[in-house]
Amino acid sequence: MAGRRGCAAGPYSPPARMVRAAAGAWPRTDDDLADWGTSMSDTPLQREYAQHLVEEARKGRMTRRQLLVRASVVGLSATAAGRILAACGGEETTSTASPTATVSPKVGGTLKVGMVSPIVALDPTTMYDTGSIAITQQVAEYLIWVNNDLTLRPVLAEKWEPDATAENWTFHLRQGVTFQHGKPFGADDVVATMDILLDPKTVSAALSSFQGILSKGGVEKVDDSTVVFHLDQAFADFPYLVASTNYDCLILPSDYKAGTWQKNPVGTGPFMLTEYKPKQSATLKKNPKYWQQGLPYLDGVQVVFNEETQAQALALQAGSIDMMLITPVHGSQALFSDPNVTVLTTPSTMHRELHMRVDRKPFTDKRVRQALAWTLDRPALVEAVLKGKGEVANDNVFFTLYPLAPQDLPQRDKDIAKAKQLLADAGYPDGIDMDLTVEQFEEIPQYATLLQAMAKEAGINVKTNLVTVSYYYGSGKNQPWLEVPMGITDWTFRGIPAQYYLPAFTSKGVWNSSHFKNAQFDKLAVDFETTLDEASRRTIAKQAAELLLDETPAIIPYTISVNRATRKNVNGVTADPAEYLDLTKAFLA
Amino acid sequence: MEQASPPVGLPAETVVSEQALRRRYVVRKLLRSPTFLVGLAILLFWIFMALFSTYVTRYGPFAIDPYNTLTGPSAQHWFGTDDSGRDVLSRTLAGARPVLEVAPLATLLALLAGTTIGLTAGYYRGIVDEVLMRAVDVLLAIPVVIAGIVIVSGLGASLAVIILVIAILFTPPVSRTVRSAVLAEREREYVQAARLRGESGLFIMAAEILPNCLPPIIVEGSVRLGYAVFTSATLSFLGFGLQPPSPDWGLTISQQSQNIQVAWWTVIFPAVALATLVVGANLVADGLRRTLSE
C-alpha cells in the first residue's frame, strides 16, 4: 500500500500536466537516454545518476515512487525528476489530489489546534518531543522538508548536489528570505545553526543522526547563498539528515543566542509565536513578510495543550478545537465514525520494536527469538490494535515505505507448528517462560496482551510487567528499556532506515536494547550509506534485512499509520508520518 | 452483652449454655434481616464465580478474537467484547477471583495484627499503650493509596505484596477499634475475678476478654473487607496491582477506559461488578453491626 502512494502536490513535484505529456515515452535510443533526467542546472554526476535511475526503473527494480525519492535525494531538479518518472510509464498519476483540491483557499481566520504540551522549555536546537517540534516548526523552517512519500521538498535550500564521492554536499540557499526580526537569511545562518547543533555541549537530539557523519566545523560557507557540508564519511542519504526528519535542524539566525528561543522566538516561518503559556496554550500570528507569496492563508493559530487523546477528541467533537495534531486510534475511536470529523491518514515507518537481549538466556539462541516471531498473527494485530490503520512489517527496519526496501523477502506469518519445532530444537520442547516489560503507552499494553495469547499457542508463557513511560525510559545511568530481557519500545518515523539501524542494531548503537552485536551487520550498515550505486545499495539492503530477519534480535510486527482528525471545515492539511505540522496552506472553509 | 436474656418460650429444662443460646439468637436475628441476607447473597454469588466462573461462561477470560473487538452486547456476547475481542461477561465474572484472593486474606491478616495490638495496648495500658497507639496514629496519618503505591513500587507488584500492603494499611484502624472495646471490658468483674485467680495476662486477654470483644471485631472485619476490595481495585487501576491480562476489575477499568466513548460495556460491567461486591460486603457489615450491638 505504501508503495502506491503518490507524492503530495507542491512546487517540488513535477506538475502532473508534464508527467502526463511524457507518459508512455520510454527511452528507446542512447540519444534518448542521454537526455533523461538532464536539465540545464544539473551537474554531470547528477546526470549520470539520473541515467542510472532510469536503468533501475527499466529493469523493474524500482517503483515510480521510489525512483522519485532517490532523484530528490541527489537534488535532481523537478524537471529532471519528472522526465525520469515519465520514462517509467504513465499509468498512474503522481500527484494525489488532496480532498480539498477543489475548494479554493479562503484567506483569514484562526485555526484552533489541540495537541500534547511541550515537555520542556521551547528550544529548537535541543527539543525532542512532539509538542515542542510542532510549535517551533510554525516559526522556523528547515532547509528541506520530507514529504509523506519521502521525497524531499526544498524549503530554505533551493537545490543541493553531492560530489562524486558523496562526501561533500553543496547546498544552494533560497534568496530573498528574511527572518521575522528583519535580518536577511543567508549562508552565515546555516553555518551558525549547524555549529550549535554539532557542538556536543548543546546536547542536541540532532547529534545522534550526525555521529560519525558530520562534525563541528564541517560546514563551509562558499558565498552568501551557498554552503558545503564536508562529511566524515560518504553518506548517500545525507539530505535527510539536515531535513525535517532530523527535527532539530530548524535554521536560526546567526545572531541567535543559544537557549533564548522561548523568550525571543525567531525563524523564517509562516507564523510568529506571540504568546506562549506552558501547559496551557500558544498563540501564533501570521508572518506578513513570509517569503512564499500569499501564504499562509490563516490569520493565526491558537494551540490548546492537552495530554489526553480522549479529552482532545471530545473537544474536537464539541467544536472547541478544529483539529488534533495527532489522533492515535487508541482513545479516539469515536472520531472515526463522526460525520463532522475527517480523519486523515498516512502510512509511516512508526513502529514498535519488541527487543530481546541476545546476550541473556533464553534469547541467546536465535531459534527461541524466531519461535516467538512465528507465533504472531500480524494481520490480526493490525486489525485489533490499530483498527486496520497500519501495515504488517517483517522484523527488519527496511520498511516498504523506503525506496530501497527489499521486495522479495518472505513475509513472516503465524506458524505455530514451526514455532514449536524451533523451540524443541532449541531445547524447550515443553514450553518456555519469558518476562516482557511493557510501557503504558498508546496501544502497547493491548499489543502485549494479544502477543501473550498468541505466544501461548506455541507453549510460550509471556509474563508482562506493565510500567509507566517515564519508568521505562528512565534517565542517565538508569534506563530500564536498554537493560530488560525483553521489552517493547516505541519508535517514531524516520526518513531513512539508517536512522533506525545505526542506533538500534549496530555494535556501537546507543539504543541497542537487544544488545545485538554482529560484525557482518555492522559492515553492511556502513556499506549501505557509503555506496552510491542503487543496484548495489539494493543488494546490501536485502542482505541486511535478511540478516535481521534471520537473527531476529527484535520483532517488528507492524508499522503504524499516523492519523490526524480535523473538523470538516479545515482544508489544506495532511496527516504527517512524523506527526509534524505544516499549516502553510491550511485554511478554514 | 452476655447478660442478654434468652428468648422467651424456650423450655426451662433444656440445658444449653448461655453462649450457644446467644449464638442461636443472633443467627436467627440475622436470617430475618433483609440487609444481611441481600449482602450475603451477593457475597456468595461472587465467591461462587471466583471458584467456578470458567465452568459457567462460554468463553475463556483470556481468549482473544482480534477480528471481533469492541462489539456491543449481543446473543453471542451478552456483555459485548473488549479491545482484544475478549468476552466481557467471562472476564467480569472471572474478575471476582483476583479480588477475592486479595481482599479476604488481607482483611484477615489485618484483623489478626490489629486485634493483637489492640488487646495488648488496651489490656496493659500505660507505656505499652502509649507506644503502640502513637505508632498506630502515625500509620493512620498516611493516606492508604499513596502508602500502597510507595510500598508496591518498592517491592514489586506480586499477589503476596499486595495482600501484605493492604493488611499493613488496615491494621491501625482495626487495632483502635479493638483497643476501645478492650478498654470497656477490662474493668468488668469477670476480668478482675480472673486477675484475682492469678491468671496470666496472656490467658486473660485470649480467653476472657477476646471472646467478649468478638462482635465489634467481626463488624470491623466485614467493614474492612469492603474497603479492601476497593483498595485492591484502586491499586490495580493505578497500575500498581495485578498485571495484564488478569481480569481484575480495577485493572480492566483502567485498561479499557480509553474505549468508554465507543464501547461503554467494556468499563461499565466491571465497574458495576466491583460496586456490587463492595456494597455486598457493606450490607453484611451493616446487618452484623445492627444485630450484634443489640
Side-chain angles (χ1 to χ4, degrees), chain A residues 353-365:
Chain A
E353 182 201 346
L354 183 141
H355 38 82
M356 295 160 279
R357 284 279 299 264
V358 300
D359 56 348
R360 282 262 190 97
K361 279 208 169 255
F363 302 118
T364 43
D365 191 327

Side-chain angles (χ1 to χ4, degrees), chain B residues 6-94:
Chain B
V8 283
L10 268 174
E13 315 76 65
T14 321
V15 186
V16 203
S17 76
E18 218 176 319
Q19 258 188 332
L21 268 180
R22 162 82 187 151
R23 212 176 293 145
R24 206 179 295 169
Y25 168 75
V26 165
V27 169
R28 205 174 297 166
K29 189 94 204 259
L30 278 177
L31 290 180
R32 259 182 267 137
S33 152
T35 316
F36 179 80
L37 286 180
V38 170
L40 188 69
I42 295 174
L43 280 191
L44 286 176
F45 172 78
W46 285 121
I47 291 169
F48 176 80
M49 284 307 163
L51 294 171
F52 306 112
S53 82
T54 43
Y55 300 101
V56 179
T57 52
R58 208 157 128 192
Y59 307 90
F62 306 113
I64 57 163
D65 183 356
Y67 293 100
N68 278 307
T69 59
L70 300 179
T71 57
S74 65
Q76 285 82 39
H77 300 279
W78 291 0
F79 285 9
T81 59
D82 70 4
D83 60 8
S84 298
R86 295 171 297 191
D87 184 47
V88 175
L89 175 63
S90 308
R91 287 181 66 77
T92 304
L93 295 179

Side-chain angles (χ1 to χ4, degrees), chain A residues 77-156:
Chain A
S77 61
T79 325
R83 301 179 85 160
I84 297 172
L85 198 71
C88 313
E91 302 86 24
E92 301 171 49
T93 53
T94 49
S95 354
T96 37
S98 80
T100 56
T102 49
V103 186
S104 58
K106 191 173 140 267
V107 178
T110 298
L111 181 78
K112 289 176 297 241
V113 183
M115 65 167 80
V116 290
S117 170
I119 57 175
V120 285
L122 292 175
D123 185 347
T125 59
T126 57
M127 64 184 178
Y128 53 86
D129 63 285
T130 310
S132 292
I133 294 168
I135 296 284
T136 50
Q137 280 174 344
Q138 309 314 308
V139 181
E141 290 179 300
Y142 299 101
L143 291 173
I144 304 166
W145 182 273
V146 179
N147 292 315
N148 285 12
D149 63 354
L150 299 180
T151 51
L152 301 174
R153 167 178 30 134
V155 184
L156 291 180

